[in-house]
């Protein structure tokens, strides 16, 4: 990344502290005390403490505080949605809406712990690029580290799901551990389709927000499991021609003219 993490995070936080938050902000805990500057910020979940027991987070767990007072994110298993109200140093999270994708037992266990800890009134403490949220008795808490925005080029994008119109779905079970995309500065698109490695030439129009894969991708010739080959066929068909891309902090969505496409996330660590 071009800017040191601490500086890249500190500047917007200082500006927000001076101005107050725009979304989900309350009147402050006391006169003149600014609200926690979380609106419009993005965080990696590092760990959760529940009833005094600390659990490290799996890759992909994150929390995004929207400008309008909402909270979105990923538990490391499912996507979550909630509301939040900020009053001074206290952040109150309303009940969650969570997708119902099945995941390995360890990720489901962490998800349950996160949803319990990231709920109700939590006192926030900012230190450097870290944010600690803790319950009044200190037995429950969430440890967060600020994320920098991932650039389109040079980032390893892990394929997380498929898109069809307004509907997003998870990858077929057993298919998606390897699927990834990397757009190089030289215009080469490389990665893995779920089974085989691939490479292709891609042209990006940043004004039109399009990425055009020029010609079918070249691939290796390994045979894999049926779910992996099924995903590979789908991605191979998709990565052939013009695609519209949408970059939202650390999430990339690619769709073709019919609305078919994929979602991918940047590695958070």
């Amino acid at each position: 990344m071009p800017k040191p993490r601490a500086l890249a995070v500190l500047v917007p936080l200082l500006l927000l502290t001076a101005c107050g938050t725009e979304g989900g902000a309350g009147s402050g805990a006391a006169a003149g005390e600014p609200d926690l500057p979380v609106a419009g910020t993005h965080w990696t979940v590092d760990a959760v403490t529940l009833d005094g027991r600390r659990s490290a987070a799996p890759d992909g767990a994150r929390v995004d505080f929207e400008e309008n007072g909402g909270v979105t994110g990923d538990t490391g298993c499912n996507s979550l949605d909630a509301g939040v109200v900020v009053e001074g140093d206290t952040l109150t999270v309303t009940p969650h809406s969570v997708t119902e994708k099945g995941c390995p037992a360890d990720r489901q266990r962490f998800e349950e712990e996160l949803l319990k800890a990231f709920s109700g009134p939590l006192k926030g403490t900012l230190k450097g690029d870290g944010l600690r949220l803790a319950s009044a008795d200190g037995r429950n808490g969430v440890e967060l580290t600020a994320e920098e925005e991932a650039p389109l080029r040079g980032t390893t994008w892990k394929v997380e799901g498929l898109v069809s119109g307004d509907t997003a779905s998870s990858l077929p079970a057993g298919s998606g551990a390897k699927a990834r995309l990397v757009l190089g500065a030289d215009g080469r698109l490389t990665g893995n389709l779920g089974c085989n490695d691939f490479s292709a030439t891609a042209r990006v129009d940043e004004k039109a927000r399009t990425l055009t894969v020029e010609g079918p991708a070249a691939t290796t010739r390994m045979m894999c499991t049926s779910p992996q080959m099924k995903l590979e066929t789908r991605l191979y068909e998709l990565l052939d021609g013009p695609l519209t891309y949408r970059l939202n902090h650390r999430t990339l969505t690619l769709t073709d003219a019919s609305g078919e496409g994929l979602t991918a996330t940047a590695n958070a660590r």
Side-chain angles (χ1 to χ4, degrees):
M1 298 285 176
K3 292 187 289 185
R5 167 180 283 235
L7 179 61
V9 171
L10 181 59
V11 172
L13 289 186
L14 288 175
L15 291 174
L16 282 168
T17 302
C19 300
T21 55
E22 296 181 5
S27 58
E33 180 181 344
D35 293 334
L36 274 173
V38 295
T41 59
H42 308 264
W43 307 83
T44 297
V45 180
D46 296 319
V48 163
T49 299
L50 185 66
D51 295 329
R53 178 180 175 274
R54 185 178 184 274
S55 300
D59 288 347
R62 69 182 192 277
V63 172
D64 301 329
F65 293 96
E66 309 294 341
E67 294 284 359
N68 63 2
V71 181
T72 59
D74 197 297
T75 66
C77 175
N78 282 284
S79 299
L80 68 86
D81 229 323
V84 63
V85 175
V86 182
E87 295 180 302
D89 65 355
T90 299
L91 185 154
T92 302
V93 182
T94 60
H96 312 81
S97 171
V98 185
T99 56
E100 299 181 354
K101 181 174 66 177
C103 294
D106 57 337
R107 288 182 176 256
Q108 289 185 332
R109 182 172 60 252
F110 180 83
E111 177 180 282
E112 293 172 2
E113 295 173 351
L114 174 61
L115 295 178
K116 290 178 181 178
F118 189 59
S119 180
L122 301 167
K123 181 176 180 179
T125 303
L126 280 168
K127 185 176 181 181
D129 61 357
L131 173 62
R132 163 78 180 184
L133 302 173
S135 60
D137 60 9
R139 290 185 56 78
N140 297 338
V142 182
E143 299 168 37
L144 307 171
T145 298
E147 290 184 344
E148 296 176 9
E149 183 172 351
L152 177 63
R153 298 179 186 271
T155 299
T156 298
W157 296 101
K158 185 178 184 299
V159 179
E160 298 282 3
L162 298 175
V163 176
S164 181
D166 295 330
T167 302
S169 60
S170 57
L171 298 179
S175 68
K178 297 169 62 179
R180 66 190 185 279
L181 311 170
V182 181
L183 179 64
D186 60 357
R188 298 295 294 173
L189 185 66
T190 60
N192 187 279
L193 297 171
C195 174
N196 283 280
D197 293 339
F198 79 96
S199 65
T201 300
R203 177 167 38 87
V204 176
D205 184 331
E206 294 184 1
K207 185 176 181 179
R209 311 294 282 182
T210 59
L211 183 153
T212 302
V213 182
E214 299 179 333
T219 70
T220 55
R221 300 290 184 179
M222 293 191 304
M223 293 297 295
C224 298
T225 64
S226 178
Q228 289 173 323
M229 296 303 292
K230 182 178 180 181
L231 174 63
E232 175 159 307
T233 299
R234 182 70 191 90
L235 295 181
Y236 184 83
E237 293 172 347
L238 178 67
L239 297 175
D240 183 12
L243 300 167
T244 299
Y245 73 86
R246 185 170 70 254
L247 185 59
N248 180 15
H249 194 63
R250 301 184 70 84
T251 300
L252 173 67
T253 304
L254 295 172
T255 52
D256 63 17
S258 68
E260 300 293 315
L262 63 87
T263 58
T265 58
N267 290 334
R269 304 168 195 278

